[in-house]
Amino acid sequence: MKNPMLEVVSLLLEKLFLISNFTLFSSGATGEDKGRNSFYETSSFHRGDVLEVPRTHLTHYGIYLGDNRVAHMMPDILLALTDDMGRTQKVVSNKRLILGVIVRVASIRVDTVEDFAYGANILVNHLDESLQKKALLNEEVARRAEKLLGFTPYSLLWNNCEHFVTYCRYGTPISPQSDKFCETVKIIIRDQRSVLASAVLGLASIVCTGLVSYTTLPAIFIPFFLWMAG
């Protein structure tokens, strides 16, 4: 049986992760046009390579399948609204992506290198060096990616594009980006100044709005939980 408290904490962490990296999604309006007008030399890519596209705060990952095709995980709100393949197979806009993250629906889809990269520079197999893990054979990597094509639940912390490519490439789904974010949150929680700040904000909200349940309870319990977790 799932722990409700853990589910709430997980949900809050995911929303914080989304907010803290919002510039990743909001910077794509010009990126869409740039991506369509960019040319990538794909002759140096090999089937099964991990393609990495650095963004402002996050990095997007995909598996190269050959013939200018990249398999990658993309959140998309349309997947929850329609079964029309003609609509869902179009390049995912930023609005569709953001709403897909919020409602936690995605697909592992195939796009061209241009649509995958959105005009950004591409790193190839950079994860091999940063993670220092032994990669599977490239053909096995590509086959794993192809088997996973289709609808999938999405989670910024537990099932994102990095989990997808690390499973395909190394056999284990991991996400250093998510781990780094969680460590940062842990540091903030353990900092006793967070307890003081939350207590002050709680008292200020009580002074401004009065002793009502929706301000009093958070004002008491949030500093308490931070204190206990510290």
Side-chain angles (χ1 to χ4, degrees), residues 4-20 104 156-158 181-182 185 189 222 225:
M5 183 60 70
L6 290 177
E7 289 188 348
V8 170
V9 172
S10 175
L11 180 61
L12 289 174
L13 284 174
E14 288 195 24
K15 300 315 174 190
L16 283 171
F17 198 24
L18 173 60
I19 293 169
S20 68
R104 305 175 74 173
L156 276 169
L157 293 180
W158 318 120
F181 174 78
C182 290
V185 172
I189 290 174
I222 291 176
F225 284 127

Side-chain angles (χ1 to χ4, degrees), residues 93-106:
S93 66
N94 290 298
K95 289 181 180 179
R96 285 168 56 186
L97 188 151
I98 293 169
L99 292 174
V101 170
I102 292 172
V103 300
R104 305 175 74 173
V105 293

Side-chain angles (χ1 to χ4, degrees), residues 22-201:
F22 187 78
T23 51
L24 165 69
F25 309 119
S26 61
S27 64
T30 56
E32 292 182 27
D33 295 331
K34 184 179 178 182
R36 288 170 183 168
N37 295 328
S38 297
F39 174 76
Y40 293 93
E41 181 53 65
T42 61
S43 61
S44 61
F45 300 161
H46 301 285
R47 178 172 161 85
D49 281 348
V50 172
L51 303 189
E52 180 176 331
V53 180
R55 299 295 189 188
T56 305
H57 293 293
L58 287 177
T59 301
H60 188 52
Y61 295 92
I63 301 293
Y64 188 64
L65 300 180
D67 299 324
N68 198 36
R69 299 174 302 130
V70 183
H72 60 132
M73 183 185 292
M74 281 291 286
D76 185 1
I77 185 63
L78 274 186
L79 298 169
L81 302 176
T82 179
D83 294 326
D84 186 350
M85 297 288 289
R87 297 179 63 187
T88 57
Q89 285 301 311
K90 291 181 180 178
V91 177
V92 179
S93 66
N94 290 298
K95 289 181 180 179
R96 285 168 56 186
L97 188 151
I98 293 169
L99 292 174
V101 170
I102 292 172
V103 300
R104 305 175 74 173
V105 293
S107 68
I108 296 170
R109 53 182 286 150
V110 176
D111 283 309
T112 65
V113 171
E114 290 76 16
D115 288 338
F116 162 77
Y118 267 43
N121 294 326
I122 298 177
L123 301 177
V124 181
N125 296 330
H126 182 67
L127 277 177
D128 291 356
E129 180 180 348
S130 60
L131 295 181
Q132 296 184 340
K133 284 183 172 291
K134 181 176 176 59
L136 301 173
L137 296 176
N138 271 33
E139 184 59 31
E140 174 64 18
V141 174
R143 287 178 180 174
R144 281 172 172 249
E146 290 168 339
K147 287 180 180 179
L148 293 174
L149 293 177
F151 181 86
T152 183
Y154 185 81
S155 168
L156 276 169
L157 293 180
W158 318 120
N159 189 41
N160 60 39
C161 64
E162 195 170 20
H163 290 104
F164 163 64
V165 298
T166 52
Y167 167 76
C168 294
R169 183 79 175 172
Y170 312 110
T172 304
I174 56 175
S175 176
Q177 293 182 104
S178 299
D179 294 342
K180 183 179 179 180
F181 174 78
C182 290
E183 284 299 317
T184 302
V185 172
K186 189 186 298 182
I187 291 171
I188 294 172
I189 290 174
R190 288 178 174 174
D191 189 337
Q192 295 304 313
R193 289 173 295 181
S194 300
V195 180
L196 178 60
S198 62
V200 171
L201 289 174

Side-chain angles (χ1 to χ4, degrees), residues 5 198 213 215-228:
M5 183 60 70
S198 62
S213 60
T215 58
T216 305
L217 292 177
I220 295 172
F221 285 110
I222 291 176
F224 173 75
F225 284 127
L226 288 175
W227 176 263
M228 294 300 292

